[in-house]
């Protein structure tokens, strides 16, 4: 993953690649193919699954109206999926992370430090055909007191719907599920930064994107911190210290492992979560003891 600062550079390179495609490379060469996570919801910690507090889902809950060519059989193709257009700037985005004793206080207004798509989705947006998200992005009052040095709980616990963590961009991190209990990144349409608002207007991600801020990368090529889970453990990008993209097989059922990370300015060997490219993308469960999100 790259930081938001590199995003426009990345877009430039992407444009060059598109031009190159016209003359030489077949378009399919760049397609990422990911397994669809639908149905991988569990009532206990389970690899490749979301251990969900919510166990009954309404298959007709509001959400995407349909899907297009980006879902084929048991796979989905992120590059083929439309994105909600726009670049709305939230100049009053605020997040403050403060250590005081054993507590890490996070205050944020949930407005992201990066641009977003235009919500509600406009009728003339190519995304409208698939997902008419009628919600507007609204500021929320996030005020969390997390353990500064969290400990593993004796048992993992389920992840609720709604906020399960806060990104350093100021926006909320949700689990992998949409309101129907399906793979949200595969079915719901998000903006270029992978975010969209829910009913109350809370802008949130269900997976990682290049818009996320990565703080203090390393050691080696290990990703930096992208946010905090509600149990206080750090959430990091998708790279291991050798630079390889982590997959579920490298992580436990909650989507974490023990390893060296930069934590509050020190190199510490501790438990931490990782984002992955594949479902369940963020957390599969809480390995620590979560505080209540708001
Ligand atoms: Zn969502
Ligand atoms: Zn790691």
């Amino acid at each position: 993953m790259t930081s938001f600062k590199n995003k426009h550079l990345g877009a430039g390179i992407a444009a060059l690649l598109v031009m190159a495609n016209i003359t030489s490379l077949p378009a399919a060469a760049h397609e990422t193919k990911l397994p669809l996570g639908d149905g991988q919801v569990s009532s206990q910690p389970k690899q490749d699954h979301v251990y969900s507090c919510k166990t009954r889902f309404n298959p007709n809950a509001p959400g995407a109206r349909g899907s297009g060519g980006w879902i084929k059989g048991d796979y989905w193709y992120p590059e083929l999926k439309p994105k909600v257009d726009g670049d709305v700037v939230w100049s009053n985005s605020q997040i403050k992370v403060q250590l005081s004793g054993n507590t890490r206080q996070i205050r944020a207004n949930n407005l992201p430090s990066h641009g977003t798509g235009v919500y509600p989705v406009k009728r003339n947006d190519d995304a409208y055909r698939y997902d008419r998200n009628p919600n507007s992005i609204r500021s929320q009052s996030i005020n969390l007191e997390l353990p500064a040095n969290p400990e593993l709980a004796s048992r993992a616990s389920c992840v609720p719907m709604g906020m399960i963590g806060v990104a350093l961009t100021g926006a909320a991190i949700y689990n992998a599920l949409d309101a129907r209990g399906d793979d949200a990144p595969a079915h719901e349409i998000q903006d270029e930064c992978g975010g969209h608002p829910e009913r109350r207007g809370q802008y949130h991600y269900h997976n990682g994107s290049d818009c996320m801020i990565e703080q203090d990368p390393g050691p080696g090529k290990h990703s930096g911190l992208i946010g905090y889970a509600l149990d206080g453990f750090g959430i990091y990008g998708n790279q291991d210290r050798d630079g390889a993209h982590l997959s579920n097989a490298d992580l436990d059922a909650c989507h974490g492992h023990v390893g060296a990370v930069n934590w509050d300015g020190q190199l510490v060997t501790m438990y931490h979560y990782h984002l992955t490219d594949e479902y369940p993308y963020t957390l599969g469960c809480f390995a620590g003891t979560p505080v209540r999100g708001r």
Side-chain angles (χ1 to χ4, degrees), residues 174 188 196 204 206:
Y174 280 25
E188 296 187 311
H196 64 174
H204 61 277
H206 295 275

Side-chain angles (χ1 to χ4, degrees), residues 222 240 257 272 274:
H222 194 280
D240 210 347
H257 68 175
H272 57 277
H274 274 284

Side-chain angles (χ1 to χ4, degrees), residues 207 238 246-248 251 255 274-282:
N207 60 347
N238 60 10
L246 287 150
S247 69
N248 292 347
L251 305 169
H255 236 206
H274 274 284
L275 300 176
T276 56
D277 299 338
E278 64 185 330
Y279 180 97
Y281 315 107
T282 63

Side-chain angles (χ1 to χ4, degrees), residues 36 40 45 55 105 129 270:
L36 205 53
Q40 286 165 230
T55 52
Q105 186 173 57
R129 208 178 131 191
M270 64 183 290

Side-chain angles (χ1 to χ4, degrees), residues 19-93:
M19 286 164 65
N21 274 344
I22 296 167
T23 51
S24 57
L25 297 168
H30 300 291
E31 281 176 14
T32 307
K33 174 180 166 179
L34 297 172
L36 205 53
D38 294 355
Q40 286 165 230
V41 181
S42 167
S43 53
Q44 58 192 341
K46 193 173 177 187
Q47 207 73 20
D48 307 320
H49 286 61
V50 174
Y51 172 16
S52 173
C53 301
K54 183 170 174 151
T55 52
R56 287 190 190 184
F57 291 91
N58 176 1
N60 301 311
R65 298 163 54 86
S67 58
W70 70 91
I71 294 181
K72 293 174 194 165
D74 295 333
Y75 293 90
W76 71 284
Y77 297 76
E79 281 98 344
L80 300 183
K81 195 174 153 228
K83 294 179 167 72
V84 173
D85 302 330
D87 191 9
V88 181
V89 175
W90 304 90
S91 52
N92 51 343
S93 160

